[in-house]
């Protein structure tokens, strides 16, 4: 390769995103009165610092081959701690103490993540998702509503100038961090980071300290999140426990736009910083053009998807292979030739051998023993939690009222667990559930307008919307080769914007009375949803255990390549499980609107971690290929009974996500040892 080709191969993405940034800056200058002066440039720099610092930290994690979903939660925690840590203090010491506290808090969060991932050998996705909820709970315990005050000197320094009218302090902070990265990149740690992200097994075989590298990476990322939280505090002057929740999508979008490869080993923070400013300017331009703010998450999600698509057109990529295959089929159809069918794989005809050898007798223990072993612990712990409820809360669990309440409160998780469970059994994860639930509930109540007339048709349209959402997720994962995390995260952002646009931020429609009666009425001494739920559980169990689709789901999760070679259409299976998850989210949204009396913003937020937790608690492997719906049912009852126990004990709401996160981590760690 020539020097030019080598340069473009190494820095092409940075050059491309820099070119886009220049164009966007030109647009900003064209629509600014009198062009861009120092004050305008300073505001632009300050507006992107928080996202840029967070993106640098996330880039380090992605370079190591991991994902960090706790970035927004860590920023919120450092923000609220900074707002209450130094009350009434000012001066230069207050500034440096604020910096030290923010970096220490962020590093501590990163240390926990790093220890669990590097030494606990747990998946980064599960660990950081769990710690995200734990940290959010801790943040709400520290400050349950916006307030506090950051020392004024923090704002004076970070929002001021390093060199008056020449260099803003915000730009100096970015330059210092990038200089540190330039130094780290040339140290053994920098070399080890790329080696671990490129090929962990090869890195370990050549003597690279993989665990230490991962630990340092997550600690360093946490420190950068702490700096991002500190700068955000300087901008706002106070604390907000929810301020970082909306940053997760933006952070991943900035990293991908900057050219860092998901999966590790290629890219760097330079592109991520430029990507952060590209994203920030795009959102600002929407405001300049008087586009509603609700479009911001839609744009961020679409930009993330587009950036991944453009980066996935290289030779050998799933997206390119899918496009080439589609083009070849279209060409053959245009010539009047039938599509080629896959040739039968050579090998042993297992079915014929079995037929010749006579029927094989399988005992009940052989058939159901494994499912019982992985499901039984959840049922045992559920019984213990129910007993604790009776002992500590004085609740008579022999009364039907307790079990009626338990089953009704479990309804939403039982429905969601079918879809999320099928996705997890294939080795994926659906993070689009929160706003899929909300959007489908908005559509349902908006079309129904509180009337039973046309109820069935309205419900089917809402479920169809959920199926289409899942279809979009499935196409991105199966045919475009997107990571399930990134694909469903982008979809969640798009759905959030669509839901806000549809409801204009204030949903006011009500569900049909029949749905409210199903969820809150009485029929033969029980809530009407209970017999319907029993039918759902039977059908779900049969679907996953007694059908060809269910067997294909487990085969795909166990070994997708082997399943494909054995004749399983793995792409079709992936699309179908995400469509099933979308349909379940729609049903859960419909039932939830009937239970609560109306659809509301963020009504699905509380169900993301529990929908994953019940799979793990029920004995399912988060990496796919193992689990049973009856075990999931045990996990649902366990988590719901635990929630009822916590509610009755008077613990604050913030304690629930903390406990749920700890339970998930403990269950995953236990199942990892068994696996």
């Amino acid at each position: 390769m020539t020097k030019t080709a080598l340069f473009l191969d190494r820095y092409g993405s940075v050059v491309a995103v820099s070119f886009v940034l220049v164009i966007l800056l030109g647009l900003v200058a064209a629509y600014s009165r009198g062009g861009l002066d120092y004050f305008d440039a300073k505001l632009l720099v300050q507006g992107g610092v928080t996202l840029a610092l967070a993106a640098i930290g996330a880039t380090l994690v992605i370079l190591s081959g991991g994902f960090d979903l706790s970035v927004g939660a860590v920023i919120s925690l450092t923000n609220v701690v900074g707002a209450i840590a130094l009350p009434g203090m000012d001066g230069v010491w207050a500034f440096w103490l604020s910096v030290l506290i923010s970096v220490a808090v962020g590093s501590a969060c990163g240390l926990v993540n790093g220890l669990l991932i590097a030494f606990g050998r747990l998946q980064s996705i599960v660990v950081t998702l769990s710690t995200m909820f734990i940290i959010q709970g801790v943040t709400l315990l520290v400050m349950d509503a916006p307030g506090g005050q950051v020392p004024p000197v923090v704002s004076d320094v970070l929002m001021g100038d390093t060199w008056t009218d020449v260099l803003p302090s915000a730009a100096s902070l970015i330059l210092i961090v990038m200089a540190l990265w330039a130094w780290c990149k040339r140290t053994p740690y920098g070399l080890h980071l790329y080696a671990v992200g490129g090929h962990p097994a090869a890195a370990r075989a050549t003597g690279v300290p993989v665990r230490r590298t991962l630990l340092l990476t997550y600690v360093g990322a946490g420190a950068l999140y702490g700096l991002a939280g500190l700068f955000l505090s300087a901008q706002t002057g106070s604390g907000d426990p929810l301020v970082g929740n909306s940053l997760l999508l933006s952070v991943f979008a900035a990293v991908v736009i900057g050219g860092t490869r998901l999966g590790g080993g290629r890219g760097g923070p330079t592109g991520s910083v430029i990507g952060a400013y590209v994203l920030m300017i795009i959102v600002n331009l929407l405001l300049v053009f008087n586009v509603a703010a609700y479009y911001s998450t839609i744009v961020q999600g679409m930009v993330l998807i587009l950036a991944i698509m453009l980066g996935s057109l290289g030779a050998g990529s799933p997206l390119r292979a899918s496009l080439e295959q589609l083009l070849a089929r279209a060409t053959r159809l245009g010539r009047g030739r039938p599509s080629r069918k896959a040739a039968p794989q050579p090998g042993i005809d297992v079915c014929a051998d079995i037929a010749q050898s006579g029927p094989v007798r399988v005992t009940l223990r052989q058939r159901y023993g494994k499912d019982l072993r992985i499901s039984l612990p959840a049922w045992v712990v559920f019984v213990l939690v129910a007993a604790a409820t009776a002992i500590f809360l004085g609740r008579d669990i022999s009364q039907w009222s307790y079990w009626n309440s338990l089953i009704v409160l479990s309804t939403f998780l039982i429905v969601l667990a079918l879809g999320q469970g099928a996705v997890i059994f294939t080795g994926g994860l659906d993070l689009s559930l929160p706003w899929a639930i909300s959007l489908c509930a908005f559509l349902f109540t908006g079309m129904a307008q509180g009337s039973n007339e046309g109820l069935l048709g309205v419900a089917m349209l809402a479920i169809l919307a959920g199926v289409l959402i899942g279809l979009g997720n499935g196409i991105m994962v199966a045919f475009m080769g997107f990571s399930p995390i990134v694909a469903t995260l982008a979809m969640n952002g798009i759905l959030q914007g669509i839901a806000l646009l549809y409801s204009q931020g204030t949903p006011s429609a009500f569900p049909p009375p029949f749905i409210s009666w199903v969820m809150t009425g009485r029929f033969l001494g029980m809530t009407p949803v209970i017999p319907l739920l029993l039918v759902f559980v039977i059908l779900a169990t049969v679907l996953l255990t007694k059908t060809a689709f269910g067997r294909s789901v487990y085969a795909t999760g166990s070994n997708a390549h082997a399943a494909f070679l054995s004749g399983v259409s793995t792409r079709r299976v992936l699309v179908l499980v995400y469509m099933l998850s979308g349909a379940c989210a729609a049903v859960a949204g419909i039932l939830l609107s009937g239970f609560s009396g109306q659809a509301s913003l963020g009504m699905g937020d509380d169900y993301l971690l529990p929908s994953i937790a019940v799979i793990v608690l029920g004995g399912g492997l988060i990496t796919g290929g193992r689990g049973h719906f009856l075990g999931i049912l045990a996990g649902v009852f366990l988590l719901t009974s635990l929630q009822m126990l916590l509610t009755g004990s008077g613990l604050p709401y913030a304690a629930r996500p903390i406990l749920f996160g700890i339970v998930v981590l403990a269950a995953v760690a236990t199942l990892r040892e068994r696996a």
Side-chain angles (χ1 to χ4, degrees):
M1 295 178 69
T2 63
K3 290 184 177 179
T4 303
L6 287 172
F7 176 83
L8 291 177
D9 181 66
R10 192 170 185 178
Y11 302 107
S13 57
V14 176
V15 172
V17 73
S18 300
F19 180 70
V20 173
L21 179 61
V22 171
I23 294 176
L24 291 174
L25 287 173
L27 288 174
V28 172
Y31 282 92
S32 298
R33 298 177 181 177
L36 281 176
D37 55 16
Y38 176 76
F39 178 75
D40 295 327
K42 181 178 178 180
L43 288 179
L44 282 175
V45 172
Q46 291 174 346
V49 170
T50 298
L51 181 57
L53 290 173
I56 295 173
T59 301
L60 298 181
V61 173
I62 291 175
L63 286 175
S64 71
F67 280 98
D68 193 348
L69 301 178
S70 66
V71 49
V74 176
I75 290 174
S76 295
L77 180 59
T78 55
N79 172 250
V80 301
V81 169
I84 65 171
L86 303 172
M89 189 174 180
D90 204 3
V92 65
W93 284 108
F95 172 76
W96 288 111
L97 281 175
S98 296
V99 173
L100 180 62
I101 291 171
S102 299
V103 171
V105 170
S107 299
C109 296
L111 179 63
V112 173
N113 286 334
L115 288 173
L116 291 171
I117 294 166
F119 293 92
R121 294 180 293 150
L122 303 180
Q123 273 195 319
S124 61
I125 293 171
V126 181
V127 169
T128 56
L129 180 65
S130 300
T131 56
M132 176 183 78
F133 282 93
I134 293 172
I135 294 169
Q136 285 177 349
V138 172
T139 303
L140 289 172
L141 288 177
V142 174
M143 180 184 290
D144 58 0
Q149 183 179 6
V150 179
V153 67
V154 175
S155 298
D156 294 341
V157 172
L158 294 180
M159 306 304 291
D161 291 337
T162 303
W163 185 355
T164 305
D165 294 336
V166 175
L167 182 64
S169 298
S172 299
L173 180 58
I174 295 294
L175 291 174
I176 291 171
V177 172
M178 293 307 299
L180 287 173
W181 163 247
W183 170 75
C184 285
K185 190 175 180 180
R186 289 165 174 76
T187 63
Y189 164 75
L191 299 175
H192 295 163
L193 176 62
Y194 281 93
V196 170
H199 200 301
R204 187 177 291 106
T206 56
V208 173
V210 175
R211 291 182 178 180
R212 185 175 66 190
T213 302
L214 289 175
L215 182 62
L216 289 175
T217 297
Y218 282 92
V219 171
L224 288 164
Y225 304 155
L227 282 177
L230 176 67
F231 193 86
L232 190 59
S233 300
Q235 287 179 303
T236 61
S238 61
D240 184 347
L242 304 178
V243 71
N245 290 2
S246 61
L247 287 175
L248 184 60
L249 176 61
S250 304
V251 168
F252 276 105
V255 173
V256 173
I257 292 171
T260 296
R261 186 182 68 182
L262 299 176
R266 185 168 183 173
T270 303
S272 299
V273 171
I274 301 173
Y277 279 97
V278 166
L279 202 62
M280 182 268 297
I281 293 175
I282 289 175
V283 174
N284 286 348
L285 284 174
L286 293 178
L287 298 177
V288 171
F289 296 142
N290 293 321
V291 177
Y294 299 145
Y295 283 98
S296 61
T297 58
I298 299 177
V299 170
Q300 291 174 17
M302 294 300 296
V303 168
L304 176 55
I305 292 173
L306 181 61
I308 299 176
M309 289 178 62
L310 293 176
S312 301
L313 291 175
S317 68
L319 176 57
R320 183 165 179 173
S322 298
L323 292 175
E324 291 174 350
Q325 186 179 17
L326 184 62
L327 181 61
R329 287 182 178 178
T331 303
R332 287 195 296 271
L333 290 174
R335 295 175 179 175
R337 299 177 183 177
S339 300
R340 296 179 184 175
K341 293 184 179 181
Q345 297 294 327
I348 300 173
D349 191 345
V350 179
C351 295
D353 288 350
I354 293 175
Q356 293 174 5
S357 61
V360 179
R361 297 186 62 181
V362 180
T363 65
L364 290 176
R365 181 177 180 181
Q366 290 173 327
R367 177 173 296 180
Y368 301 109
K370 181 179 178 180
D371 294 334
L372 183 61
R373 286 197 306 273
I374 64 176
S375 305
L376 188 58
W379 287 109
V380 171
V381 178
F382 163 58
V383 172
L384 294 176
V385 172
T389 302
I391 295 172
F392 295 108
L393 300 184
R395 187 79 180 266
D396 187 0
I397 62 174
S398 65
Q399 295 292 323
W400 168 245
S401 59
Y402 171 79
W403 297 101
N404 187 86
S405 300
L406 176 67
I407 296 172
V408 171
L409 292 175
S410 300
T411 300
F412 319 109
L413 274 182
I414 291 175
V415 173
L416 291 172
L418 172 60
Q420 185 74 277
V423 170
I424 290 177
F425 292 160
T426 62
L429 204 63
D430 190 352
L431 299 184
S432 66
L433 287 184
W435 282 99
I437 293 172
S438 298
L439 177 59
C440 291
F442 291 168
L443 293 174
F444 175 70
T445 56
M447 291 185 292
Q449 290 295 322
S451 172
N452 288 330
E453 185 176 354
L455 171 60
L456 182 59
V458 170
M460 294 305 295
L461 287 174
I463 294 173
L464 177 61
V467 170
L468 293 176
I469 291 168
L471 177 63
N473 286 330
I475 289 175
M476 286 190 287
V477 173
F479 291 94
M480 297 184 179
F482 287 17
S483 163
I485 303 300
V486 178
T488 55
L489 181 65
M491 179 63 75
N492 193 61
I494 294 172
L495 297 178
Q496 179 181 356
I498 295 174
L500 292 173
L501 281 171
Y502 180 81
S503 65
Q504 291 300 305
T506 54
S508 56
F510 299 96
F514 178 78
I515 297 297
S516 298
W517 174 79
V518 167
M519 294 304 303
T520 59
R522 303 296 291 182
F523 176 74
L524 298 178
M526 67 178 71
T527 305
V529 75
I530 293 178
L532 299 176
L533 202 58
L534 177 61
V535 175
F536 179 86
V537 170
I538 294 173
L539 293 177
T541 305
V542 171
L543 177 67
L544 292 179
T545 58
K546 302 297 182 181
T547 64
F549 168 75
R551 290 189 290 271
S552 298
V553 167
Y554 288 106
T556 302
S558 296
N559 190 318
H561 184 64
F564 175 76
L565 293 178
S566 65
V568 175
S569 180
T570 53
R571 287 180 174 179
R572 184 173 62 186
V573 169
L574 289 175
V575 172
L576 287 175
V577 296
Y578 282 98
M579 291 173 67
L580 177 62
S581 182
C584 290
V587 173
I590 292 171
L591 297 178
L592 194 58
S593 67
F595 181 77
S596 59
Q598 71 175 78
S600 58
L601 295 175
M603 63 189 298
D605 291 345
D606 291 337
Y607 292 93
L608 177 57
L609 181 62
S611 71
I612 300 169
V614 296
I615 313 299
V616 178
L617 292 174
L621 282 180
I622 199 68
T623 51
R626 193 185 83 177
H628 195 281
F629 194 75
L630 294 180
I632 294 175
L633 191 63
V636 171
F637 287 147
L638 168 57
L639 208 60
T640 305
S641 62
L642 188 60
Q643 183 175 347
M644 293 172 66
L645 177 61
L646 291 174
T647 303
S649 65
L651 288 175
Y653 174 81
R656 298 181 195 176
I658 297 175
L659 183 60
F660 288 169
I662 294 173
V663 167
V664 172
L665 288 175
V668 171
T670 303
L671 288 172
R672 177 192 59 79
E673 293 298 334
R674 292 178 182 176

